[in-house]
Amino acid sequence: TRYLLPGFIDTHAHVAFGPVTLTKDGATPVMRFTYDHDVSLHTLRTLLAFGVTMVRNPAGPADHAVALRDS
């Protein structure tokens, strides 16, 4: 028996990012990331392999997200 499912939607997928660093500015921890196109593509391909065909990238850099979408 085979089943056909629609593509899944991930509404909280952080895909437009790269390596994350955590530093302390006094008592306040500061998290920063550097955009890495290859890491983002790998993340998207992994999501697709699990059936996710649409993502929402909350708080992601819009210019990088649009470039990913267009590629």
Side-chain angles (χ1 to χ4, degrees):
T1 304
R2 292 182 178 216
Y3 298 93
L4 180 64
L5 295 172
F8 296 112
I9 301 169
D10 188 335
T11 61
H12 199 114
H14 296 281
V15 295
F17 68 97
V20 177
T21 58
L22 185 62
T23 59
K24 248 186 159 175
D25 185 11
T28 306
V30 178
M31 185 166 52
R32 292 188 174 91
F33 71 89
T34 307
Y35 175 72
D36 186 318
H37 186 76
D38 292 334
V39 169
S40 296
L41 284 178
H42 176 72
T43 302
L44 288 171
R45 287 182 180 125
T46 301
L47 287 167
L48 185 59
F50 284 97
V52 177
T53 59
M54 187 166 70
V55 297
R56 178 180 164 265
N57 185 37
D63 53 340
H64 297 307
V66 170
L68 279 168
R69 179 200 66 198
D70 292 345
S71 69

PDB file of all heavy atoms in Angstrom, residues 4-29:
ATOM      1  N   LEU A   4      -0.138   8.998  -0.502  1.00  0.00           N
ATOM      2  CA  LEU A   4       0.307  10.267  -1.053  1.00  0.00           C
ATOM      3  C   LEU A   4      -0.069  11.362  -0.067  1.00  0.00           C
ATOM      4  O   LEU A   4      -1.234  11.490   0.313  1.00  0.00           O
ATOM      5  CB  LEU A   4      -0.359  10.533  -2.408  1.00  0.00           C
ATOM      6  CG  LEU A   4       0.008  11.835  -3.102  1.00  0.00           C
ATOM      7  CD1 LEU A   4       1.490  11.843  -3.450  1.00  0.00           C
ATOM      8  CD2 LEU A   4      -0.831  11.997  -4.352  1.00  0.00           C
ATOM      9  N   LEU A   5       0.910  12.109   0.376  1.00  0.00           N
ATOM     10  CA  LEU A   5       0.680  13.202   1.317  1.00  0.00           C
ATOM     11  C   LEU A   5       1.059  14.517   0.658  1.00  0.00           C
ATOM     12  O   LEU A   5       1.980  14.565  -0.163  1.00  0.00           O
ATOM     13  CB  LEU A   5       1.554  13.024   2.569  1.00  0.00           C
ATOM     14  CG  LEU A   5       1.271  11.832   3.449  1.00  0.00           C
ATOM     15  CD1 LEU A   5       2.347  11.702   4.521  1.00  0.00           C
ATOM     16  CD2 LEU A   5      -0.086  11.974   4.102  1.00  0.00           C
ATOM     17  N   PRO A   6       0.402  15.597   1.044  1.00  0.00           N
ATOM     18  CA  PRO A   6       0.841  16.903   0.550  1.00  0.00           C
ATOM     19  C   PRO A   6       2.162  17.273   1.211  1.00  0.00           C
ATOM     20  O   PRO A   6       2.546  16.679   2.227  1.00  0.00           O
ATOM     21  CB  PRO A   6      -0.285  17.842   1.007  1.00  0.00           C
ATOM     22  CG  PRO A   6      -0.861  17.173   2.207  1.00  0.00           C
ATOM     23  CD  PRO A   6      -0.737  15.690   1.952  1.00  0.00           C
ATOM     24  N   GLY A   7       2.863  18.239   0.649  1.00  0.00           N
ATOM     25  CA  GLY A   7       4.095  18.706   1.268  1.00  0.00           C
ATOM     26  C   GLY A   7       3.804  19.326   2.621  1.00  0.00           C
ATOM     27  O   GLY A   7       2.781  19.972   2.818  1.00  0.00           O
ATOM     28  N   PHE A   8       4.694  19.095   3.568  1.00  0.00           N
ATOM     29  CA  PHE A   8       4.532  19.664   4.900  1.00  0.00           C
ATOM     30  C   PHE A   8       5.018  21.110   4.913  1.00  0.00           C
ATOM     31  O   PHE A   8       5.868  21.510   4.107  1.00  0.00           O
ATOM     32  CB  PHE A   8       5.313  18.851   5.933  1.00  0.00           C
ATOM     33  CG  PHE A   8       4.821  17.452   6.081  1.00  0.00           C
ATOM     34  CD1 PHE A   8       5.605  16.393   5.668  1.00  0.00           C
ATOM     35  CD2 PHE A   8       3.577  17.183   6.619  1.00  0.00           C
ATOM     36  CE1 PHE A   8       5.159  15.089   5.795  1.00  0.00           C
ATOM     37  CE2 PHE A   8       3.113  15.885   6.752  1.00  0.00           C
ATOM     38  CZ  PHE A   8       3.915  14.828   6.332  1.00  0.00           C
ATOM     39  N   ILE A   9       4.505  21.894   5.855  1.00  0.00           N
ATOM     40  CA  ILE A   9       4.887  23.290   6.023  1.00  0.00           C
ATOM     41  C   ILE A   9       5.533  23.437   7.393  1.00  0.00           C
ATOM     42  O   ILE A   9       4.944  23.047   8.398  1.00  0.00           O
ATOM     43  CB  ILE A   9       3.664  24.223   5.920  1.00  0.00           C
ATOM     44  CG1 ILE A   9       2.991  24.064   4.557  1.00  0.00           C
ATOM     45  CG2 ILE A   9       4.071  25.671   6.172  1.00  0.00           C
ATOM     46  CD1 ILE A   9       1.637  24.748   4.474  1.00  0.00           C
ATOM     47  N   ASP A  10       6.736  23.971   7.431  1.00  0.00           N
ATOM     48  CA  ASP A  10       7.410  24.258   8.699  1.00  0.00           C
ATOM     49  C   ASP A  10       7.319  25.764   8.916  1.00  0.00           C
ATOM     50  O   ASP A  10       7.926  26.540   8.182  1.00  0.00           O
ATOM     51  CB  ASP A  10       8.865  23.806   8.654  1.00  0.00           C
ATOM     52  CG  ASP A  10       9.558  23.898  10.006  1.00  0.00           C
ATOM     53  OD1 ASP A  10       9.115  24.710  10.849  1.00  0.00           O
ATOM     54  OD2 ASP A  10      10.544  23.174  10.213  1.00  0.00           O
ATOM     55  N   THR A  11       6.550  26.183   9.917  1.00  0.00           N
ATOM     56  CA  THR A  11       6.319  27.616  10.127  1.00  0.00           C
ATOM     57  C   THR A  11       7.330  28.242  11.076  1.00  0.00           C
ATOM     58  O   THR A  11       7.197  29.402  11.448  1.00  0.00           O
ATOM     59  CB  THR A  11       4.899  27.877  10.671  1.00  0.00           C
ATOM     60  OG1 THR A  11       4.765  27.213  11.933  1.00  0.00           O
ATOM     61  CG2 THR A  11       3.850  27.399   9.697  1.00  0.00           C
ATOM     62  N   HIS A  12       8.333  27.479  11.477  1.00  0.00           N
ATOM     63  CA  HIS A  12       9.376  28.043  12.345  1.00  0.00           C
ATOM     64  C   HIS A  12      10.713  27.381  12.021  1.00  0.00           C
ATOM     65  O   HIS A  12      11.321  26.709  12.845  1.00  0.00           O
ATOM     66  CB  HIS A  12       9.019  27.832  13.820  1.00  0.00           C
ATOM     67  CG  HIS A  12       9.768  28.739  14.734  1.00  0.00           C
ATOM     68  ND1 HIS A  12       9.143  29.708  15.469  1.00  0.00           N
ATOM     69  CD2 HIS A  12      11.082  28.844  15.019  1.00  0.00           C
ATOM     70  CE1 HIS A  12      10.037  30.359  16.182  1.00  0.00           C
ATOM     71  NE2 HIS A  12      11.228  29.855  15.928  1.00  0.00           N
ATOM     72  N   ALA A  13      11.157  27.561  10.788  1.00  0.00           N
ATOM     73  CA  ALA A  13      12.409  26.946  10.336  1.00  0.00           C
ATOM     74  C   ALA A  13      13.454  28.034  10.138  1.00  0.00           C
ATOM     75  O   ALA A  13      13.333  28.866   9.266  1.00  0.00           O
ATOM     76  CB  ALA A  13      12.183  26.193   9.032  1.00  0.00           C
ATOM     77  N   HIS A  14      14.472  28.026  10.974  1.00  0.00           N
ATOM     78  CA  HIS A  14      15.562  28.991  10.823  1.00  0.00           C
ATOM     79  C   HIS A  14      16.536  28.426   9.789  1.00  0.00           C
ATOM     80  O   HIS A  14      17.375  27.596  10.105  1.00  0.00           O
ATOM     81  CB  HIS A  14      16.261  29.224  12.161  1.00  0.00           C
ATOM     82  CG  HIS A  14      15.377  29.851  13.185  1.00  0.00           C
ATOM     83  ND1 HIS A  14      15.119  31.202  13.182  1.00  0.00           N
ATOM     84  CD2 HIS A  14      14.673  29.332  14.211  1.00  0.00           C
ATOM     85  CE1 HIS A  14      14.298  31.486  14.180  1.00  0.00           C
ATOM     86  NE2 HIS A  14      14.011  30.370  14.826  1.00  0.00           N
ATOM     87  N   VAL A  15      16.395  28.862   8.555  1.00  0.00           N
ATOM     88  CA  VAL A  15      17.224  28.294   7.492  1.00  0.00           C
ATOM     89  C   VAL A  15      18.280  29.249   6.964  1.00  0.00           C
ATOM     90  O   VAL A  15      19.272  28.809   6.411  1.00  0.00           O
ATOM     91  CB  VAL A  15      16.359  27.783   6.319  1.00  0.00           C
ATOM     92  CG1 VAL A  15      15.494  26.631   6.754  1.00  0.00           C
ATOM     93  CG2 VAL A  15      15.522  28.873   5.734  1.00  0.00           C
ATOM     94  N   ALA A  16      18.089  30.539   7.094  1.00  0.00           N
ATOM     95  CA  ALA A  16      19.063  31.499   6.562  1.00  0.00           C
ATOM     96  C   ALA A  16      20.033  31.913   7.666  1.00  0.00           C
ATOM     97  O   ALA A  16      19.962  33.006   8.212  1.00  0.00           O
ATOM     98  CB  ALA A  16      18.357  32.727   5.981  1.00  0.00           C
ATOM     99  N   PHE A  17      20.901  30.994   8.007  1.00  0.00           N
ATOM    100  CA  PHE A  17      21.893  31.287   9.026  1.00  0.00           C
ATOM    101  C   PHE A  17      23.097  30.399   8.834  1.00  0.00           C
ATOM    102  O   PHE A  17      23.137  29.565   7.958  1.00  0.00           O
ATOM    103  CB  PHE A  17      21.316  31.117  10.437  1.00  0.00           C
ATOM    104  CG  PHE A  17      21.001  29.699  10.802  1.00  0.00           C
ATOM    105  CD1 PHE A  17      21.900  28.951  11.528  1.00  0.00           C
ATOM    106  CD2 PHE A  17      19.809  29.120  10.425  1.00  0.00           C
ATOM    107  CE1 PHE A  17      21.616  27.638  11.861  1.00  0.00           C
ATOM    108  CE2 PHE A  17      19.518  27.816  10.758  1.00  0.00           C
ATOM    109  CZ  PHE A  17      20.415  27.065  11.478  1.00  0.00           C
ATOM    110  N   GLY A  18      24.087  30.586   9.673  1.00  0.00           N
ATOM    111  CA  GLY A  18      25.299  29.784   9.598  1.00  0.00           C
ATOM    112  C   GLY A  18      25.835  29.564  10.993  1.00  0.00           C
ATOM    113  O   GLY A  18      25.056  29.457  11.938  1.00  0.00           O
ATOM    114  N   PRO A  19      27.151  29.558  11.155  1.00  0.00           N
ATOM    115  CA  PRO A  19      27.747  29.305  12.464  1.00  0.00           C
ATOM    116  C   PRO A  19      27.279  30.324  13.507  1.00  0.00           C
ATOM    117  O   PRO A  19      27.172  31.510  13.233  1.00  0.00           O
ATOM    118  CB  PRO A  19      29.251  29.439  12.207  1.00  0.00           C
ATOM    119  CG  PRO A  19      29.401  29.206  10.744  1.00  0.00           C
ATOM    120  CD  PRO A  19      28.145  29.707  10.107  1.00  0.00           C
ATOM    121  N   VAL A  20      27.003  29.823  14.694  1.00  0.00           N
ATOM    122  CA  VAL A  20      26.525  30.657  15.793  1.00  0.00           C
ATOM    123  C   VAL A  20      27.623  30.789  16.837  1.00  0.00           C
ATOM    124  O   VAL A  20      28.288  29.813  17.172  1.00  0.00           O
ATOM    125  CB  VAL A  20      25.263  30.044  16.442  1.00  0.00           C
ATOM    126  CG1 VAL A  20      24.795  30.860  17.624  1.00  0.00           C
ATOM    127  CG2 VAL A  20      24.156  29.901  15.414  1.00  0.00           C
ATOM    128  N   THR A  21      27.813  32.012  17.342  1.00  0.00           N
ATOM    129  CA  THR A  21      28.757  32.241  18.427  1.00  0.00           C
ATOM    130  C   THR A  21      28.014  32.877  19.594  1.00  0.00           C
ATOM    131  O   THR A  21      27.067  33.647  19.404  1.00  0.00           O
ATOM    132  CB  THR A  21      29.917  33.169  18.006  1.00  0.00           C
ATOM    133  OG1 THR A  21      29.378  34.415  17.565  1.00  0.00           O
ATOM    134  CG2 THR A  21      30.749  32.562  16.908  1.00  0.00           C
ATOM    135  N   LEU A  22      28.437  32.552  20.789  1.00  0.00           N
ATOM    136  CA  LEU A  22      27.845  33.102  21.996  1.00  0.00           C
ATOM    137  C   LEU A  22      28.956  33.746  22.800  1.00  0.00           C
ATOM    138  O   LEU A  22      29.939  33.095  23.145  1.00  0.00           O
ATOM    139  CB  LEU A  22      27.157  32.003  22.804  1.00  0.00           C
ATOM    140  CG  LEU A  22      26.398  32.444  24.044  1.00  0.00           C
ATOM    141  CD1 LEU A  22      25.262  33.391  23.656  1.00  0.00           C
ATOM    142  CD2 LEU A  22      25.848  31.246  24.784  1.00  0.00           C
ATOM    143  N   THR A  23      28.824  35.041  23.057  1.00  0.00           N
ATOM    144  CA  THR A  23      29.801  35.773  23.847  1.00  0.00           C
ATOM    145  C   THR A  23      29.079  36.468  24.991  1.00  0.00           C
ATOM    146  O   THR A  23      27.845  36.522  25.022  1.00  0.00           O
ATOM    147  CB  THR A  23      30.544  36.819  22.996  1.00  0.00           C
ATOM    148  OG1 THR A  23      29.593  37.728  22.446  1.00  0.00           O
ATOM    149  CG2 THR A  23      31.332  36.167  21.884  1.00  0.00           C
ATOM    150  N   LYS A  24      29.842  36.994  25.906  1.00  0.00           N
ATOM    151  CA  LYS A  24      29.257  37.734  27.016  1.00  0.00           C
ATOM    152  C   LYS A  24      29.725  39.175  26.948  1.00  0.00           C
ATOM    153  O   LYS A  24      30.917  39.453  26.877  1.00  0.00           O
ATOM    154  CB  LYS A  24      29.675  37.113  28.342  1.00  0.00           C
ATOM    155  CG  LYS A  24      28.551  36.476  29.071  1.00  0.00           C
ATOM    156  CD  LYS A  24      28.969  36.008  30.419  1.00  0.00           C
ATOM    157  CE  LYS A  24      27.721  35.861  31.257  1.00  0.00           C
ATOM    158  NZ  LYS A  24      28.007  35.303  32.545  1.00  0.00           N
ATOM    159  N   ASP A  25      28.784  40.092  26.950  1.00  0.00           N
ATOM    160  CA  ASP A  25      29.072  41.513  26.995  1.00  0.00           C
ATOM    161  C   ASP A  25      28.716  41.974  28.399  1.00  0.00           C
ATOM    162  O   ASP A  25      27.579  42.319  28.673  1.00  0.00           O
ATOM    163  CB  ASP A  25      28.247  42.254  25.940  1.00  0.00           C
ATOM    164  CG  ASP A  25      28.585  43.736  25.863  1.00  0.00           C
ATOM    165  OD1 ASP A  25      29.585  44.135  26.475  1.00  0.00           O
ATOM    166  OD2 ASP A  25      27.836  44.469  25.199  1.00  0.00           O
ATOM    167  N   GLY A  26      29.689  41.913  29.293  1.00  0.00           N
ATOM    168  CA  GLY A  26      29.391  42.153  30.700  1.00  0.00           C
ATOM    169  C   GLY A  26      28.634  40.953  31.231  1.00  0.00           C
ATOM    170  O   GLY A  26      29.082  39.824  31.150  1.00  0.00           O
ATOM    171  N   ALA A  27      27.435  41.192  31.758  1.00  0.00           N
ATOM    172  CA  ALA A  27      26.614  40.109  32.293  1.00  0.00           C
ATOM    173  C   ALA A  27      25.607  39.598  31.267  1.00  0.00           C
ATOM    174  O   ALA A  27      24.888  38.642  31.512  1.00  0.00           O
ATOM    175  CB  ALA A  27      25.879  40.585  33.532  1.00  0.00           C
ATOM    176  N   THR A  28      25.560  40.252  30.105  1.00  0.00           N
ATOM    177  CA  THR A  28      24.558  39.912  29.100  1.00  0.00           C
ATOM    178  C   THR A  28      25.146  38.995  28.031  1.00  0.00           C
ATOM    179  O   THR A  28      26.105  39.368  27.360  1.00  0.00           O
ATOM    180  CB  THR A  28      24.032  41.189  28.417  1.00  0.00           C
ATOM    181  OG1 THR A  28      23.576  42.088  29.411  1.00  0.00           O
ATOM    182  CG2 THR A  28      22.914  40.874  27.454  1.00  0.00           C
ATOM    183  N   PRO A  29      24.575  37.799  27.863  1.00  0.00           N
ATOM    184  CA  PRO A  29      25.040  36.938  26.764  1.00  0.00           C
ATOM    185  C   PRO A  29      24.544  37.483  25.423  1.00  0.00           C
ATOM    186  O   PRO A  29      23.427  37.962  25.309  1.00  0.00           O
ATOM    187  CB  PRO A  29      24.417  35.582  27.072  1.00  0.00           C
ATOM    188  CG  PRO A  29      23.332  35.842  28.044  1.00  0.00           C
ATOM    189  CD  PRO A  29      23.580  37.157  28.691  1.00  0.00           C
TER     190      PRO A  29
END
